[in-house]
Amino acid sequence: MFAFASQDKFAAAGPAATAVLRHRATDPEIKDGAWSFDRGTASSDGRSSAWGKFSHVSEEGWHRDMLSIMANENGEGKWTVTHTIVRAKNA
């Protein structure tokens, strides 16, 4: 696995990273959010899997909501892309 702190370098890591970023841009639940890229990882071949972490300041206060997106390729060219949102717990 390779780690990336830059979204541009992550995007260039291969098809798995591209699938993560495409999901971020097109999924109805997350596409309109002001998510900033925090970091990502991609498999050494750049093809089989990638994970990206994004965040933004929550609407309720100073804390950050976190978004994780995972993309996995099944070996036959089919992608499974999922995401999880952890909402900030503001005091």
Side-chain angles (χ1 to χ4, degrees):
M1 297 293 277
F2 293 106
F4 301 90
S6 157
Q7 183 170 328
D8 291 337
K9 290 182 180 178
F10 179 68
T18 301
V20 167
L21 296 173
R22 184 181 323 110
H23 184 81
R24 159 63 191 90
T26 61
D27 184 88
E29 183 180 15
I30 58 177
K31 70 178 183 174
D32 294 328
W35 298 103
S36 297
F37 181 83
D38 290 338
R39 64 181 177 269
T41 61
S43 56
S44 57
D45 64 1
R47 302 194 60 79
S48 55
S49 66
W51 168 82
K53 182 179 177 190
F54 305 81
S55 65
H56 74 83
V57 175
S58 68
E59 294 177 9
E60 294 81 24
W62 299 95
H63 302 285
R64 299 181 76 72
D65 292 339
M66 306 304 287
L67 166 65
S68 294
I69 303 174
M70 181 68 170
N72 291 297
E73 196 263 336
N74 71 355
E76 298 176 3
K78 180 160 174 54
W79 289 99
T80 300
V81 184
T82 58
H83 71 264
T84 303
I85 299 172
V86 177
R87 300 287 180 192
K89 304 241 187 297
N90 294 310

